[in-house]
PDB file of all heavy atoms in Angstrom:
ATOM      1  N   PRO A 250      45.989 251.382 -22.031  1.00  0.00           N
ATOM      2  CA  PRO A 250      47.030 251.504 -23.065  1.00  0.00           C
ATOM      3  C   PRO A 250      46.635 250.886 -24.417  1.00  0.00           C
ATOM      4  O   PRO A 250      47.102 251.341 -25.455  1.00  0.00           O
ATOM      5  CB  PRO A 250      48.227 250.741 -22.469  1.00  0.00           C
ATOM      6  CG  PRO A 250      47.939 250.649 -20.993  1.00  0.00           C
ATOM      7  CD  PRO A 250      46.442 250.600 -20.876  1.00  0.00           C
ATOM      8  N   ASP A 251      45.787 249.882 -24.428  1.00  0.00           N
ATOM      9  CA  ASP A 251      45.483 249.156 -25.674  1.00  0.00           C
ATOM     10  C   ASP A 251      44.419 249.884 -26.505  1.00  0.00           C
ATOM     11  O   ASP A 251      43.360 250.271 -25.987  1.00  0.00           O
ATOM     12  CB  ASP A 251      44.983 247.750 -25.324  1.00  0.00           C
ATOM     13  CG  ASP A 251      44.659 246.943 -26.575  1.00  0.00           C
ATOM     14  OD1 ASP A 251      45.603 246.534 -27.278  1.00  0.00           O
ATOM     15  OD2 ASP A 251      43.444 246.774 -26.868  1.00  0.00           O
ATOM     16  N   ASP A 252      44.693 250.041 -27.809  1.00  0.00           N
ATOM     17  CA  ASP A 252      43.797 250.801 -28.692  1.00  0.00           C
ATOM     18  C   ASP A 252      42.380 250.225 -28.732  1.00  0.00           C
ATOM     19  O   ASP A 252      41.396 250.953 -28.640  1.00  0.00           O
ATOM     20  CB  ASP A 252      44.334 250.813 -30.131  1.00  0.00           C
ATOM     21  CG  ASP A 252      45.610 251.625 -30.243  1.00  0.00           C
ATOM     22  OD1 ASP A 252      45.907 252.391 -29.295  1.00  0.00           O
ATOM     23  OD2 ASP A 252      46.322 251.480 -31.255  1.00  0.00           O
ATOM     24  N   LYS A 253      42.280 248.893 -28.881  1.00  0.00           N
ATOM     25  CA  LYS A 253      40.948 248.278 -29.035  1.00  0.00           C
ATOM     26  C   LYS A 253      40.136 248.383 -27.755  1.00  0.00           C
ATOM     27  O   LYS A 253      38.946 248.718 -27.769  1.00  0.00           O
ATOM     28  CB  LYS A 253      41.109 246.789 -29.379  1.00  0.00           C
ATOM     29  CG  LYS A 253      41.197 246.514 -30.853  1.00  0.00           C
ATOM     30  CD  LYS A 253      40.862 245.049 -31.091  1.00  0.00           C
ATOM     31  CE  LYS A 253      41.404 244.624 -32.429  1.00  0.00           C
ATOM     32  NZ  LYS A 253      41.927 243.276 -32.445  1.00  0.00           N
ATOM     33  N   LEU A 254      40.788 248.107 -26.633  1.00  0.00           N
ATOM     34  CA  LEU A 254      40.073 248.205 -25.347  1.00  0.00           C
ATOM     35  C   LEU A 254      39.657 249.646 -25.084  1.00  0.00           C
ATOM     36  O   LEU A 254      38.579 249.922 -24.560  1.00  0.00           O
ATOM     37  CB  LEU A 254      40.964 247.723 -24.199  1.00  0.00           C
ATOM     38  CG  LEU A 254      41.296 246.226 -24.157  1.00  0.00           C
ATOM     39  CD1 LEU A 254      42.205 245.921 -22.969  1.00  0.00           C
ATOM     40  CD2 LEU A 254      40.028 245.376 -24.069  1.00  0.00           C
ATOM     41  N   ARG A 255      40.531 250.573 -25.508  1.00  0.00           N
ATOM     42  CA  ARG A 255      40.230 251.994 -25.290  1.00  0.00           C
ATOM     43  C   ARG A 255      39.030 252.419 -26.142  1.00  0.00           C
ATOM     44  O   ARG A 255      38.147 253.146 -25.687  1.00  0.00           O
ATOM     45  CB  ARG A 255      41.468 252.825 -25.619  1.00  0.00           C
ATOM     46  CG  ARG A 255      41.510 254.134 -24.903  1.00  0.00           C
ATOM     47  CD  ARG A 255      42.864 254.793 -24.921  1.00  0.00           C
ATOM     48  NE  ARG A 255      43.427 254.963 -26.238  1.00  0.00           N
ATOM     49  CZ  ARG A 255      44.484 254.342 -26.690  1.00  0.00           C
ATOM     50  NH1 ARG A 255      45.146 253.479 -25.921  1.00  0.00           N
ATOM     51  NH2 ARG A 255      44.929 254.552 -27.911  1.00  0.00           N
ATOM     52  N   ALA A 256      38.985 251.935 -27.362  1.00  0.00           N
ATOM     53  CA  ALA A 256      37.875 252.296 -28.258  1.00  0.00           C
ATOM     54  C   ALA A 256      36.548 251.791 -27.691  1.00  0.00           C
ATOM     55  O   ALA A 256      35.529 252.499 -27.703  1.00  0.00           O
ATOM     56  CB  ALA A 256      38.118 251.721 -29.643  1.00  0.00           C
ATOM     57  N   ALA A 257      36.567 250.569 -27.151  1.00  0.00           N
ATOM     58  CA  ALA A 257      35.325 249.996 -26.604  1.00  0.00           C
ATOM     59  C   ALA A 257      34.865 250.796 -25.385  1.00  0.00           C
ATOM     60  O   ALA A 257      33.670 251.091 -25.225  1.00  0.00           O
ATOM     61  CB  ALA A 257      35.551 248.531 -26.221  1.00  0.00           C
ATOM     62  N   PHE A 258      35.814 251.160 -24.524  1.00  0.00           N
ATOM     63  CA  PHE A 258      35.464 251.937 -23.323  1.00  0.00           C
ATOM     64  C   PHE A 258      34.952 253.320 -23.723  1.00  0.00           C
ATOM     65  O   PHE A 258      33.928 253.798 -23.220  1.00  0.00           O
ATOM     66  CB  PHE A 258      36.691 252.065 -22.406  1.00  0.00           C
ATOM     67  CG  PHE A 258      36.366 252.554 -21.029  1.00  0.00           C
ATOM     68  CD1 PHE A 258      36.065 251.666 -20.012  1.00  0.00           C
ATOM     69  CD2 PHE A 258      36.361 253.918 -20.740  1.00  0.00           C
ATOM     70  CE1 PHE A 258      35.757 252.124 -18.725  1.00  0.00           C
ATOM     71  CE2 PHE A 258      36.053 254.376 -19.470  1.00  0.00           C
ATOM     72  CZ  PHE A 258      35.759 253.473 -18.458  1.00  0.00           C
ATOM     73  N   GLY A 259      35.658 253.949 -24.663  1.00  0.00           N
ATOM     74  CA  GLY A 259      35.273 255.296 -25.126  1.00  0.00           C
ATOM     75  C   GLY A 259      33.880 255.299 -25.734  1.00  0.00           C
ATOM     76  O   GLY A 259      33.116 256.253 -25.552  1.00  0.00           O
ATOM     77  N   ALA A 260      33.547 254.216 -26.424  1.00  0.00           N
ATOM     78  CA  ALA A 260      32.218 254.132 -27.054  1.00  0.00           C
ATOM     79  C   ALA A 260      31.128 254.121 -25.985  1.00  0.00           C
ATOM     80  O   ALA A 260      30.089 254.786 -26.121  1.00  0.00           O
ATOM     81  CB  ALA A 260      32.131 252.874 -27.918  1.00  0.00           C
ATOM     82  N   ARG A 261      31.364 253.377 -24.883  1.00  0.00           N
ATOM     83  CA  ARG A 261      30.361 253.334 -23.812  1.00  0.00           C
ATOM     84  C   ARG A 261      30.254 254.676 -23.098  1.00  0.00           C
ATOM     85  O   ARG A 261      29.160 255.140 -22.776  1.00  0.00           O
ATOM     86  CB  ARG A 261      30.684 252.230 -22.779  1.00  0.00           C
ATOM     87  CG  ARG A 261      30.542 250.821 -23.299  1.00  0.00           C
ATOM     88  CD  ARG A 261      29.178 250.564 -23.947  1.00  0.00           C
ATOM     89  NE  ARG A 261      28.063 250.688 -23.019  1.00  0.00           N
ATOM     90  CZ  ARG A 261      26.843 251.109 -23.348  1.00  0.00           C
ATOM     91  NH1 ARG A 261      26.571 251.455 -24.584  1.00  0.00           N
ATOM     92  NH2 ARG A 261      25.890 251.174 -22.435  1.00  0.00           N
ATOM     93  N   MET A 262      31.405 255.310 -22.858  1.00  0.00           N
ATOM     94  CA  MET A 262      31.388 256.644 -22.215  1.00  0.00           C
ATOM     95  C   MET A 262      30.565 257.600 -23.064  1.00  0.00           C
ATOM     96  O   MET A 262      29.740 258.364 -22.556  1.00  0.00           O
ATOM     97  CB  MET A 262      32.808 257.227 -22.114  1.00  0.00           C
ATOM     98  CG  MET A 262      33.701 256.626 -21.079  1.00  0.00           C
ATOM     99  SD  MET A 262      33.574 257.350 -19.425  1.00  0.00           S
ATOM    100  CE  MET A 262      34.250 258.970 -19.619  1.00  0.00           C
TER     101      MET A 262
END
Side-chain angles (χ1 to χ4, degrees):
D251 180 72
D252 292 345
K253 271 200 200 143
L254 291 179
R255 205 165 54 247
F258 193 90
R261 292 308 297 148
M262 286 273 291

